[in-house]
Amino acid sequence: MLDNMPRGTICIEDIEMGMTRYLRKVVTDEDIEMFAKVSTDHNPVHLDEDYAKDTIFSGRIAHGMLTAGLISAVIGEQLPGHGTIYMGQTLKFMAPVRPGDMVLAEVEVTGIDLAKRRVQLDCRCLVDGKPVLKGEATVLAPSKKFD
C-alpha cells in the first residue's frame, strides 16, 4: 500500500479546507476472498470466473464495499486519522474494480464545523484515472481538548 502521509491523527484544530490524503492499493484475489469470508458475501460475480464471464461485467469484480473500505482506511488512518468516528457516508459505484486493479482512494476536506468537531469529506476512488466510486462522508474528528 502506498500512502501519501504517515498514519496517525490530525486533530480538528489542525484540519484545513482542501486538505487531501490518499492511499493506493492493488486489489488482489486474496483480498476478494478474505472480504467474502469476513462479510459472508459469496456472490459468484466476485469469486467464480466461469460464472462472472457471463455477466454484464464479463469477468470477476471486487465487492463494492471492499473498494469503499479503502476510503474508510484513509479516513481512519490519515484524515482525520486515529480516533475518528464515522457519522455518515454516501457512495455511488461508477465502474467495477477487478482483481489486479490499482485503486487510488482519496479524501478531501470540503467542510469543517469546529464547534461540533464535524468534518465533511469528498471521497473518491479511481482506477487508471477513471472514477469507480464517489461519495461524501461526515466524521467526528478528534480534538486536542478532549482526546
Side-chain angles (χ1 to χ4, degrees):
M1 226 176 319
L2 305 171
D3 299 340
N4 68 326
M5 295 296 286
R7 294 169 184 247
T9 303
I10 303 173
C11 291
I12 186 76
E13 295 85 358
D14 299 322
I15 294 175
E16 300 174 1
M17 292 292 290
M19 192 176 272
T20 303
R21 297 291 184 268
Y22 68 85
L23 66 76
R24 287 188 178 98
K25 180 180 183 350
V26 174
V27 174
T28 66
D29 288 326
E30 183 180 13
D31 295 329
I32 294 168
E33 291 164 9
M34 286 191 304
F35 191 88
K37 184 175 181 178
V38 169
S39 69
T40 72
D41 178 355
H42 295 93
N43 184 330
V45 75
H46 306 303
L47 301 169
D48 182 339
E49 185 62 39
D50 288 335
Y51 173 90
K53 70 181 177 185
D54 293 328
T55 69
I56 62 170
F57 302 111
S58 301
R60 289 189 317 116
I61 61 171
H63 302 75
M65 295 309 289
L66 188 158
T67 304
L70 299 176
I71 294 292
S72 178
V74 176
I75 291 170
E77 293 287 337
Q78 294 185 52
L79 181 63
H82 298 173
T84 300
I85 305 298
Y86 249 112
M87 298 185 72
Q89 174 82 58
T90 64
L91 298 170
K92 181 176 182 180
F93 299 97
M94 305 176 73
V97 172
R98 300 181 184 282
D101 281 350
M102 170 76 78
V103 178
L104 168 65
E106 186 174 51
V107 300
E108 179 180 354
V109 176
T110 58
I112 304 167
D113 183 337
L114 190 59
K116 293 184 179 179
R117 296 173 46 195
R118 307 275 196 291
V119 179
Q120 301 290 325
L121 300 162
D122 182 57
C123 306
R124 54 195 164 265
C125 290
L126 301 110
V127 172
D128 295 328
K130 297 176 186 168
V132 296
L133 178 151
K134 288 185 180 180
E136 295 178 349
T138 303
V139 300
L140 179 66
S143 171
K144 292 176 182 176
K145 293 180 185 178
F146 304 109
D147 299 324

